[in-house]
Amino acid sequence: MPFLLILGLADFASGFTVRAVDPMLNVVAGDLRVSVQTAALLASAFALPYAAMQLVFGPIGDAFGRVRLIRVTLSLLTVGHVASALAPNHDMLLLARIFAGGWAGGIIPVALATVGDRVPFERRPEALGRLLLAVVLGQLCGATISGVIAAYFGWRAVFWTGAGVSALAAVGAMLFLTEIGTRQKLSVKTALAGYATVLRNPVSVRLFAITALEGGVIFGVFPFVAPLLVEFRFGNAVEAGIAIGAFAIGGVGYSLVVRHLVRVLGLGTMAAVGASVVGLCLIGVAFAPSLPVVVALFFIWGFGFYTIHNTLQILATELSPTARGSGISLYATSFFVGQAVGAVVAGLVVTALGSNAGLFVGAGLAMLALAWPASRLAPFAARLKRTADAAAQADAPDPVEHV
């Protein structure tokens, strides 16, 4: 599947730019003479349009063609990086990040839908696992390498690096990806019709609810990793970064064995195992005796998260083959909304309990409770498909015999 290399590079470019600003906020603030709190707005300026545009790009990909859309989004993301690198002040940098975030939001979901179009369902877990690896590596590089680049070459060099990566992906998409879809008329009516088609699938609402809960529980606790380590006297921001890096490496480990997991466990059991592993690791972190144990648990936690997360991605690609982009967009939006709500709820829980460790125990119990409904999604979807296929076969006219 050579086209996965190009899609993987595109996803890497998107993942890199999501996390690129986080490690260098102090550098940006000092150079542009603003407070760190003001510089931190750059993260929200990117994340909000990134999330909002998911719902826009799904129907556009269905009508305009996904490969055409990926070429456009990568090209304009490159423009956003260049504008960020040349920004003379914080206000212009803020606008450039808003622009880049909006276009970056049209890359990963559209790439997932493209895999759904071109890869048979039985081979899709491996293909999506490779794209997931590209996203994880992009985010990991954005969270680590960008800090090193900013320290030695300045923060503008980070955006030039991002521009180079997205430009390379755009050229690859133009030269080596072939559009197989035909252009259709795009309108608000057709977009809404596509979303309606997705939501008519009984699997959809269940899948989106589980996805939102998964994103909310897992990423809701991330802002409280450093406070937990301080509470345990294991360290602070640096140690938290090491732990979160181990989480990402766990995702890399998952991508290397996904083919075997699907063959041995099947999608339903994978979702249950992933949720259970995450739940147990969250509870384990709350009682960890040392920093090395925390880091090891974060690695296993990352493996478990990507096990359930990739399973939900696979199921999302089959919600509606005729409106696949819309289905992936609703899935991605559910995930981002879950993260946003989860962070707020996590803060309220910490305030109520007066303990960061209590938050992790509660989150772990929530993931354990999610294991059963998550495990039923794949069998439910398979049962519905068999019923639909049987009905279609029953309605088909008998073949006419020619004498």
Side-chain angles (χ1 to χ4, degrees):
M1 296 178 281
F3 79 98
L4 285 177
L5 294 175
I6 305 301
L7 292 181
L9 183 59
D11 284 359
F12 180 92
S14 180
F16 178 89
T17 192
V18 168
R19 300 264 72 94
V21 170
D22 297 350
M24 61 179 190
L25 285 177
N26 289 336
V27 178
V28 174
D31 187 57
L32 297 181
R33 299 179 181 179
V34 297
S35 66
V36 175
Q37 290 77 12
T38 301
L41 294 175
L42 295 172
S44 298
F46 182 93
L48 291 176
Y50 183 96
M53 292 301 288
Q54 308 280 338
L55 290 174
V56 176
F57 284 124
I60 291 177
D62 288 335
F64 183 63
R66 292 187 234 290
V67 170
R68 297 186 188 100
L69 180 57
I70 288 174
R71 292 168 181 165
V72 171
T73 52
L74 285 169
S75 299
L76 291 173
L77 174 59
T78 303
V79 172
H81 279 313
V82 172
S84 298
L86 298 175
N89 53 53
H90 181 266
D91 290 341
M92 293 303 296
L93 180 57
L94 197 70
L95 290 175
R97 286 295 285 172
I98 291 172
F99 181 87
W103 291 107
I107 297 174
I108 294 176
V110 177
L112 296 178
T114 303
V115 169
D117 292 339
R118 303 187 181 206
V119 180
F121 187 78
E122 60 273 12
R123 298 185 65 193
R124 209 171 294 168
E126 180 185 358
L128 292 177
R130 293 182 185 180
L131 292 192
L132 187 63
L133 174 62
V135 175
V136 172
L137 291 177
Q139 293 180 349
L140 189 59
C141 289
T144 55
I145 295 177
S146 61
V148 176
I149 294 174
Y152 287 96
F153 303 102
W155 61 269
R156 297 180 189 275
V158 173
F159 291 117
W160 286 119
T161 302
V165 174
S166 57
L168 180 62
V171 171
M174 293 174 188
L175 295 179
F176 302 111
L177 287 185
T178 303
E179 180 62 74
I180 61 174
T182 57
R183 289 195 185 188
Q184 302 173 14
K185 183 179 180 181
L186 178 64
S187 66
V188 174
K189 182 178 180 180
T190 57
L192 293 177
Y195 283 126
T197 301
V198 174
L199 293 174
R200 277 196 294 270
N201 185 338
V203 178
S204 296
V205 174
R206 303 182 188 195
L207 175 64
F208 298 150
I210 291 172
T211 298
L213 289 170
E214 170 218 24
V217 171
I218 294 174
F219 288 96
V221 303
F222 265 37
F224 299 92
V225 173
L228 178 74
L229 296 183
V230 172
E231 183 179 315
F232 287 173
R233 298 182 181 178
F234 292 162
N236 201 331
V238 173
E239 290 76 12
I242 294 172
I244 294 173
F247 176 91
I249 295 172
V252 175
Y254 164 78
S255 69
L256 299 177
V257 299
V258 56
R259 179 192 305 178
H260 306 291
L261 287 178
V262 174
R263 185 177 68 249
V264 174
L265 299 179
L267 294 180
T269 305
M270 281 176 62
V273 169
S276 300
V277 167
V278 170
L280 293 174
C281 287
L282 282 164
I283 296 172
V285 167
F287 297 98
S290 64
L291 179 63
V293 173
V294 171
V295 173
L297 285 170
F298 264 79
F299 172 83
I300 302 171
W301 175 5
F303 188 98
F305 163 70
Y306 285 105
T307 301
I308 179 175
H309 187 66
N310 191 215
T311 303
L312 297 178
Q313 284 181 336
I314 294 164
L315 295 174
T317 62
E318 280 296 294
L319 292 176
S320 175
T322 59
R324 206 183 303 273
S326 299
I328 295 292
S329 293
L330 286 171
Y331 159 81
T333 301
S334 302
F335 187 60
F336 280 107
V337 170
Q339 290 185 49
V341 174
V344 175
V345 172
L348 295 175
V349 170
V350 170
T351 301
L353 298 178
S355 167
N356 294 290
L359 169 66
F360 279 75
V361 172
L365 293 174
M367 286 304 299
L368 289 174
L370 197 64
W372 171 251
S375 73
R376 306 316 303 157
L377 280 175
F380 182 50
R383 188 165 63 251
L384 287 177
K385 187 175 187 304
R386 287 195 300 269
T387 301
D389 291 345
Q393 186 174 3
D395 292 340
D398 294 331
V400 177
E401 295 184 2
H402 295 279
V403 178

